[in-house]
Amino acid sequence: MARAASFVEGYRHLTIGCHLSISKGYLKMAQAAVSIDANTFQFFTRNPRGGAAKAIDHKDIDAFAAYCAGQGIHRVLAHAPYTLNLASANEQVRSFAFEVLADDLLRMEHTPHQMYNLHPGGNSRQGIAESIEQIAEVLNAVLSPEQTTTVLLETMAGKGGEVGASFCDLAQVIERVELDGHLGVCLDTCHVWDAGYDIVNGLDGALEEFDRSIGLERLQAVHLNDSLNERGSHKDRHAKIGAGRIGFEALAAITNHPALRHLPFYLETPNELPGYADEISRLRARYT
Ligand code: FE
Ligand code: FE
Ligand code: ZN
């Protein structure tokens, strides 16, 4: 799973997949991805609402690694449970988040050099500034020099005091983290649209703003979703590709953009496998 090789390959072939269930193990996920012409995928490390993770099955992981190498799957993206909130007002919720995050990062080393996506967190009772301090504090406690996993902070729609609706929020978290070499960003197209960035008529401008505040070199993955709501709605309701307010053309333009086209793209649209297969084939047909 060499990063350099997949980076070069990404220029010729769109690296795209969708969110898949881990319930049948790693190998089955990779096989499901290949069955819909995906060459990457995302999965929850455990039940999305939290709870215990399954024991690591080394035979499954070995079979998975061999299968991925043969199929040209170089990058996968794990997603932290939704319930993790590194900046919850509730101390117990914060310490639970810390424990799950620490455990997930240990488990991720069984599939080294991959990415782990995290909603930064926040709450409406305290300001964004205080949340940013708390998120950075947990990240400083949990990141280790030896880890090979890159933790991606996801751009958010800005519901209920969430950190990450502004690129500036994420830049402030990153600049407070000592081992910031282990941090990257995942841009969710539905979230940035709902947060107010005009990625339909002003993609270059939005990316310039990203570059000025965070630096485009931090951007390592894209969640490719349409949005049910108007720009700036702060709602976070995903739509199928082409069935929302962003639209197919704007999303296809995102996959083709010179600053983005090498990145892995993940669909988190309301679909089962056949619906994902259809979105992947339409987006591949438009990738030039
Ligand atoms: Fe997410
Ligand atoms: Fe997302
Ligand atoms: Zn979302």
Side-chain angles (χ1 to χ4, degrees), residues 211-229:
D211 196 34
R212 269 197 308 274
S213 37
I214 303 174
L216 271 172
E217 69 284 354
R218 293 271 181 196
L219 183 55
Q220 298 201 23
V222 175
H223 283 166
L224 199 69
N225 302 307
D226 214 326
S227 172
L228 280 179
N229 294 104

Side-chain angles (χ1 to χ4, degrees), residues 45-46 50-51 80-81 84 95-105 116:
T45 52
R46 60 186 75 211
L84 293 206
S95 69
F96 172 77
F98 169 81
E99 280 161 34
V100 169
L101 185 54
D103 185 44
D104 272 1
L105 289 180
Y116 179 85

Side-chain angles (χ1 to χ4, degrees), residues 186-189 219-224 254 260 263-266:
C186 173
L187 185 148
D188 186 307
T189 56
L219 183 55
Q220 298 201 23
V222 175
H223 283 166
L224 199 69
I254 286 168
L260 308 175
L263 294 172
F265 293 87
Y266 300 91

Side-chain angles (χ1 to χ4, degrees), residues 6 11 38 50 91 102 128-129 149 155 162 190 230 251:
S6 62
Y11 281 102
E91 188 59 43
I128 293 281
T149 304
T155 60
E162 300 178 310
C190 169
E230 290 297 346
L251 291 165

Side-chain angles (χ1 to χ4, degrees), residues 42 79 82 117 119 154 156 188 191 223 268:
Q42 175 179 266
H79 195 306
Y82 285 144
N117 182 78
H119 294 183
E154 184 169 355
M156 302 307 291
D188 186 307
H191 297 176
H223 283 166
E268 299 175 309

Side-chain angles (χ1 to χ4, degrees), residues 126-140:
Q126 70 189 19
I128 293 281
E130 176 62 20
S131 295
I132 286 171
E133 298 297 339
Q134 291 183 340
I135 294 160
E137 191 186 318
V138 179
L139 289 170
N140 275 319

